C-alpha cells in the first residue's frame, strides 16, 4: 500500500513539475481545474474577496484564482468597470478555498447578504478596514 502511495505521489509531483515548466515556457496547454487531482488540488487556491473604496461606502465582491494579480488589476484600473468607475481598490476581506464551485457559491452567497452582514464579517477579520493587499504581497 505504501509503495502504491509513493508511486501515486511521484506521478502527481511529476505532472505538477511539468505544469510549472510548461507555464514558464509559455506553453498554452495548461491543465484545466478538472484535470487536477491529488497533490495538485491542494496547490490550486481560489479566493473570494471584498474590496472597498477609500471611505468604505462602496463594496465589491469577487472571486479569483490569483488574488495578488486581481488586486493589482483593480488598483491600476486595468479592466474598465464597476471598480474603476467607483474607485474601489482597497482589499478588506478574503477567504481561500481549493474548490472553484465552493468559491463561486460563496461569492453568490455574500452578494445576497445585507450590507450589515457583510460589514460584520469584515469587522471580524479586519476591524479597522485596513488594506490587506499589502500583507498579501
Amino acid at each position: 500500500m505504501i509503495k502504491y502511495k509513493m508511486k501515486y505521489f511521484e506521478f502527481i509531483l511529476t505532472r505538477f513539475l511539468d505544469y510549472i515548466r510548461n507555464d514558464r515556457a509559455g506553453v498554452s496547454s495548461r491543465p484545466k481545474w478538472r484535470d487536477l487531482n491529488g497533490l495538485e488540488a491542494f496547490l490550486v487556491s481560489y479566493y473570494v474577496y471584498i474590496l472597498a473604496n477609500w471611505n468604505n461606502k462602496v463594496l465589491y465582491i469577487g472571486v479569483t484564482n490569483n488574488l495578488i494579480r486581481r488586486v493589482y488589476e483593480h488598483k491600476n484600473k486595468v479592466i474598465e468597470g464597476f471598480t474603476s468607475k467607483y474607485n474601489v481598490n482597497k482589499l478588506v476581506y478574503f477567504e481561500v478555498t481549493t474548490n472553484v464551485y465552493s468559491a463561486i457559491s460563496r461569492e453568490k452567497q455574500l452578494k445576497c447578504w445585507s450590507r450589515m452582514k457583510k460589514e460584520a464579517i469584515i469587522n471580524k477579520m479586519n476591524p479597522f478596514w485596513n488594506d490587506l493587499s499589502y500583507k498579501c504581497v
Side-chain angles (χ1 to χ4, degrees):
M1 185 69 166
I2 293 173
K3 209 174 206 184
Y4 171 76
K5 286 184 178 179
M6 287 302 292
K7 287 197 181 267
Y8 181 70
F9 177 77
E10 289 172 7
F11 170 74
I12 295 299
L13 190 59
T14 304
R15 282 189 62 205
F16 176 70
L17 291 174
D18 288 341
Y19 169 73
I20 296 296
R21 284 187 205 107
N22 288 341
D23 192 40
R24 287 189 181 150
V27 176
S28 63
S29 62
R30 299 172 69 177
K32 305 286 188 262
W33 63 268
R34 290 183 294 279
D35 299 334
L36 301 179
N37 56 33
L39 176 65
E40 292 173 348
F42 293 107
L43 299 173
V44 176
S45 297
Y46 298 94
Y47 302 89
V48 179
Y49 61 95
I50 301 177
L51 299 174
N53 65 342
W54 67 275
N55 61 357
N56 304 327
K57 297 289 183 193
V58 181
L59 295 179
Y60 173 83
I61 299 173
V63 65
T64 186
N65 64 345
N66 187 337
L67 186 63
I68 295 170
R69 185 208 67 217
R70 191 67 180 118
V71 170
Y72 172 84
E73 290 172 354
H74 286 299
K75 285 187 178 290
N76 293 295
K77 298 173 180 45
V78 173
I79 300 169
E80 300 263 337
F82 181 86
T83 56
S84 60
K85 181 178 180 181
Y86 293 100
N87 201 25
V88 179
N89 58 20
K90 183 168 65 167
L91 180 67
V92 292
Y93 179 82
F94 66 93
E95 297 175 1
V96 184
T97 183
T98 57
N99 186 340
V100 68
Y101 290 123
S102 64
I104 292 169
S105 64
R106 180 63 171 162
E107 177 195 23
K108 290 179 181 180
Q109 180 186 32
L110 290 175
K111 284 184 175 185
C112 291
W113 282 6
S114 66
R115 169 79 185 207
M116 205 164 56
K117 214 170 177 184
K118 292 173 193 173
E119 287 178 355
I121 65 162
I122 294 169
N123 286 330
K124 279 184 186 176
M125 180 182 185
N126 187 5
F128 298 108
W129 290 55
N130 295 326
D131 191 355
L132 301 176
S133 63
Y134 299 114
K135 295 180 182 182
C136 293
V137 177

